[in-house]
Amino acid sequence: MDAPPRSAWPYAKSSKDSLVLIAPYDGIGGARRALELLGLEPALYISIEQDPACAEVVKRQWPEVVTFGSIESVTDECLIETLAKYPKLQEGLVIGGPPCQPFSRLNEERTGFEDERSDQVGNYVELVARLKRLFPKIRWSDVMENVASMMPTDRDEITKRLEPIHPSPPYLLDAADLGPVNRPRLYWTSFEVYDGEHTELIQEKEHEGYI
């Protein structure tokens, strides 16, 4: 079955009872903080992070968080049991950035998809697909992020591997457009990002020198 085309950003301010945020490779809760900056409060926040120190930061900041140590540990049974406690959920948002070391230009020994850590791209796709299968009444959207300095061949391969959930090329955005940090990143989204001077849809272009 083909993935649906990208639609517009679906979330409204009234998210407290209806929105679930699931954040694989969550780090210190960047996805959750982003929703705060947008004025959105999810009814349920699930953080998936293997680093205990990062997980502790998330727990201190958002005590209501439901945590898992790795994406592989998130079983269907765990998801069903957790989401069943929130019967008003209507919208689901998955935001995650699988490990960048296989792809980053800063890694002089990068090997792309020959690095076993790149398997997490497939695990991300599998998680999103499972959520759609287990909870079809929830409207799911997702964002996957990674470094802009990856080889064009790896970028195209990631796009191909994401086709089961959304067959679209990534957007290029740089944090330097909004603040003091130069951090160009690629974002594969299931929804359209509004056109503007700070967004670029990657097609056949190559970008060098990014971290």
Side-chain angles (χ1 to χ4, degrees):
M1 179 181 296
D2 293 336
R6 286 196 278 211
S7 57
W9 171 255
Y11 303 107
K13 296 289 184 181
S14 57
S15 62
K16 190 170 183 180
D17 294 326
S18 62
L19 175 63
V20 50
L21 169 64
I22 300 180
Y25 324 105
D26 193 27
I28 59 172
R32 180 66 181 85
R33 176 58 180 152
L35 291 190
E36 282 187 344
L37 294 173
L38 290 170
L40 297 170
E41 182 178 353
L44 171 61
Y45 168 32
I46 296 177
S47 173
I48 306 171
E49 174 55 53
Q50 295 190 91
D51 187 313
C54 290
E56 183 60 29
V57 170
V58 170
K59 289 179 182 178
R60 287 202 305 266
Q61 183 65 30
W62 299 283
E64 75 283 359
V65 67
V66 176
T67 60
F68 293 93
S70 70
I71 199 169
E72 293 88 350
S73 69
V74 183
T75 64
D76 289 359
E77 291 74 18
C78 290
L79 289 170
I80 292 170
E81 180 181 357
T82 302
L83 270 69
K85 300 174 183 177
Y86 301 85
K88 296 182 180 180
L89 294 177
Q90 299 177 9
E91 307 284 353
L93 179 59
V94 184
I95 301 179
C100 66
Q101 294 91 336
F103 310 113
S104 175
R105 191 177 185 182
L106 290 181
N107 179 8
E108 295 180 355
E109 299 178 351
R110 65 178 176 177
T111 57
F113 280 95
E114 294 182 9
D115 188 320
E116 64 180 11
R117 290 172 292 188
S118 67
D119 293 343
Q120 293 302 321
V121 173
N123 288 343
Y124 173 90
V125 173
E126 192 271 340
L127 174 63
V128 174
R130 275 199 294 144
L131 290 166
K132 292 180 177 181
R133 172 176 55 83
L134 292 171
F135 310 101
K137 294 184 179 180
I138 295 177
R139 181 172 62 166
W140 292 97
S141 302
D142 76 279
V143 180
M144 200 197 84
E145 169 269 346
N146 216 289
V147 291
S149 64
M150 65 176 60
M151 297 293 293
T153 51
D154 289 330
R155 182 193 69 215
D156 293 343
E157 180 62 24
I158 290 176
T159 300
K160 180 179 178 181
R161 296 191 183 201
L162 289 173
E163 284 181 354
I165 54 176
H166 45 79
S168 301
Y171 291 96
L172 171 65
L173 297 102
D174 189 348
D177 292 324
L178 302 173
V181 179
N182 182 30
R183 198 174 176 85
R185 291 294 183 267
L186 298 177
Y187 296 87
W188 288 263
T189 71
S190 62
F191 51 86
E192 291 185 358
V193 175
Y194 295 116
D195 291 337
E197 61 178 328
H198 301 314
T199 65
E200 181 178 353
L201 184 62
I202 303 300
Q203 299 287 357
E204 300 299 327
K205 302 174 184 178
E206 296 185 10
H207 296 267
E208 299 293 340
Y210 297 146
I211 60 172

